[in-house]
Amino acid sequence: MNDSNPNYKMQTAPAGYDKEMENIARGMIGTIEYPSSTVGNTRKAMVYTPPGYSAGQEYSVLYLLHGIGGDETEWYNHGQPQIILDNLYADEMLKPMIVVLPNGRAMLNDRAEGDIFAPDKVQAFTTFEADLLHDLIPYIEANYPVLTDRTHRALAGLSMGGGQSLNIGLNNLDRFAWIGAFSPAPNTMLPELLVPEPQKTAEMLSLLWLSCGDLDSLKHVSDRTHAYLSQHSVPHIWVEENGDHDWPVWKNGLYQFSRLIF
Ligand code: FER
């Protein structure tokens, strides 16, 4: 994609993009459980399979991460990604993909309860890297008909999950070719650590998406990341949209990002 992107014109998601349409084929969304050697228990994730899903086909996989106040149900409860995705499939605007909604707080009690900013709970968002790479991805790849090379694997998320997507994705480009961060939080590593070798990163990325609402108090994180990427000529899409640290921005992020991947 174009670097820093004066050329990328985000088409605003059309009215109704997040409303259930009648008479279209629907995907399915449900909860799975997988063994986690990282946490030492069984962990939950939600999985969306697209309309017409068939074990005879091969699918790409998007791992879509939640924020600090959420768990594996957050996107489902607040963003209804299955509606957005079903509508995009009805318009033939998405490649065949499975969307996995993990729990990004990798610790024994991974519910968003008590002090969600407690150090051990924030640390668990870092621990999630091992759970994702060594436990969840292998589980998905063993149990769904999915393509397993980096060009068929994407990682995106909102806020804490946006920071995780940048931290984990950019540091594991052998695993992910498509990375999206919607309103990334202060867990986002400094740009020099995210992208120590800009040319190498640029060569490996299929897409790096960064978006944030103009009213978001965490926008300095996106600004700093975007500035570094631009200075070092790392192609990325940067969208500063009207909005706050909130669902309209994140749902639009999913709508826009999912159309561009695979
Ligand atoms: C912080 C402010 C916000 C922070 C995380 C967040 C780890 C996360 C917000 C969200 O996920 O919505 O200082 O530090």
Side-chain angles (χ1 to χ4, degrees), residues 67-69 117 122 158-161 185-187 218 245 250:
I68 200 160
F117 286 92
V122 171
L158 72 91
S159 200
M160 279 301 267
N187 63 327
L218 302 180
H245 196 72
W250 304 331

Side-chain angles (χ1 to χ4, degrees), residues 49-227:
T49 52
Y53 173 73
S54 142
Q57 281 188 52
E58 286 185 309
Y59 296 86
S60 300
V61 188
L62 165 61
Y63 294 85
L64 183 62
L65 309 178
H66 61 81
I68 200 160
D71 57 28
E72 76 281 356
T73 67
E74 187 183 40
W75 269 100
Y76 178 68
N77 288 335
H78 298 277
Q80 298 194 292
Q82 75 283 8
I83 295 178
I84 296 171
L85 297 165
D86 285 349
N87 290 346
L88 281 166
Y89 278 111
D91 289 340
E92 298 183 0
M93 283 160 72
L94 287 189
K95 298 285 186 343
M97 71 178 92
I98 289 173
V99 181
V100 180
L101 313 175
N103 183 313
R105 187 184 295 97
M107 63 194 295
L108 283 176
N109 179 358
D110 60 11
R111 298 301 98 190
E113 55 191 28
D115 176 9
I116 55 174
F117 286 92
D120 61 329
K121 297 193 179 182
V122 171
Q123 170 59 37
F125 282 83
T126 303
T127 306
F128 176 69
E129 175 169 351
D131 180 79
L132 176 65
L133 297 181
H134 306 313
D135 302 314
L136 180 55
I137 289 175
Y139 177 87
I140 293 297
E141 294 182 352
N143 289 280
Y144 292 86
V146 296
L147 296 155
T148 58
D149 62 296
R150 60 186 294 280
T151 62
H152 295 97
R153 195 181 295 119
L155 183 61
L158 72 91
S159 200
M160 279 301 267
Q164 287 176 308
S165 298
L166 296 171
N167 296 347
I168 300 171
L170 290 170
N171 282 298
N172 293 280
L173 284 168
D174 58 325
R175 312 292 293 272
F176 304 96
W178 313 84
I179 300 171
F182 316 140
S183 327
N187 63 327
T188 305
M189 292 162 68
L190 289 174
E192 295 76 6
L193 299 175
L194 286 176
V195 184
E197 297 178 89
Q199 198 179 334
K200 192 172 160 204
T201 298
E203 280 164 15
M204 293 196 77
L205 277 172
S206 296
L207 172 66
L208 176 55
W209 167 283
L210 183 62
S211 57
C212 193
D214 55 355
L215 301 175
D216 192 322
S217 66
L218 302 180
K219 194 166 83 64
H220 58 97
V221 176
S222 291
D223 287 338
R224 146 189 113 188
T225 309
H226 163 61

